[in-house]
Amino acid sequence: MPWKPPPDAVFNVRSVILDGVAMGRVLRRMAAEIVERAGPDVYLVGIQTRGVHLAARMAKILSHDSDPQGSPRLGAVDITMYRDDLHFGSPKQEVGPTDLPQSIDGQVVVLVDDVLYTGRTVRAAMDVLLDYGRPKAIHLACMVDRGNRELPIQPDFVGAKVTTGPNESVRVMLAERGEEDQVVLREKVG
């Protein structure tokens, strides 16, 4: 099982990987790649909680860049009850709603998350989606891929790749959550 920080772990920021301006550029690039490779008629589904905000930002970019009638569909999935580590003393997860306003049947779905690490969150998100229908295809977009996968899951669209050590983590900070937009590499203190 990978190292997970205890709920009261203290971290120091080692470096800023992306500032707010760079995050905006990365999201615009990822949105353009999504349209280029998956088509303009995608269903963006954010993984609670930060993935939901990133998906909304990409939807705004895509709707601004296209015909207003061509705005992508937008949804959210909560994976809390689908996690495979609920019984291993993991920190209490923040629970958010699953909201898929339109059917995903036959749709090209792009799952959006902030940080891809072991792949377990994405596996759980796919389980949620498949409980709601049968998409034509599922793609994965993540702001940061930090490697160290435990499952054979790879992103189709990635903002930045960062190699991390066992006592490091990556945090995507968002204005929607009362933070300054940035992606930081953190190291556990002590």
Side-chain angles (χ1 to χ4, degrees):
M1 179 169 264
W3 173 82
K4 289 191 178 198
D8 57 350
V10 177
F11 290 91
N12 278 339
V13 173
R14 266 191 60 205
S15 62
V16 175
I17 299 165
L18 298 171
D19 63 14
V21 173
M23 282 178 65
R25 276 195 310 267
V26 165
L27 284 171
R28 284 190 296 280
R29 176 180 49 80
M30 290 173 66
E33 288 175 2
I34 287 169
V35 169
E36 183 179 307
R37 292 176 39 204
D41 189 31
V42 296
Y43 196 149
L44 296 173
V45 176
I47 300 173
Q48 292 285 4
T49 59
R50 286 174 168 77
V52 172
H53 301 302
L54 294 172
R57 287 186 187 190
M58 280 197 262
K60 188 174 182 180
I61 292 166
L62 291 174
S63 64
H64 182 267
D65 291 348
S66 66
D67 181 351
Q69 281 72 33
S71 296
R73 285 150 299 183
L74 187 60
V77 293
D78 175 63
I79 56 110
T80 304
M81 300 312 294
Y82 288 78
R83 293 189 62 91
D84 62 1
D85 61 355
L86 279 177
H87 305 293
F88 292 108
S90 62
K92 182 175 168 54
Q93 300 292 317
E94 184 175 337
V95 178
T98 291
D99 180 23
L100 298 169
Q102 294 100 6
S103 172
I104 63 168
D105 288 330
Q107 303 299 314
V108 176
V109 173
V110 178
L111 275 173
V112 181
D113 202 7
D114 58 344
V115 179
L116 177 60
Y117 181 39
T118 64
R120 293 184 181 281
T121 296
V122 174
R123 185 221 37 94
M126 288 191 294
D127 286 348
V128 174
L129 285 177
L130 296 176
D131 277 353
Y132 279 83
R134 188 174 190 276
K136 177 179 179 182
I138 301 173
H139 297 281
L140 175 61
C142 61
M143 178 64 81
V144 178
D145 177 358
R146 63 178 278 206
N148 301 305
R149 218 78 74 238
E150 294 176 359
L151 299 174
I153 292 174
Q154 297 299 319
D156 299 290
F157 312 101
V158 65
K161 291 185 180 185
V162 178
T163 303
T164 59
N167 288 328
E168 296 175 319
S169 70
V170 174
R171 176 85 170 195
V172 175
M173 301 172 75
L174 300 169
E176 293 89 341
R177 302 205 30 99
E179 304 162 327
E180 179 183 347
D181 278 349
Q182 61 182 342
V183 178
V184 296
L185 176 64
R186 307 181 311 167
E187 187 170 38
K188 184 180 173 199
V189 175

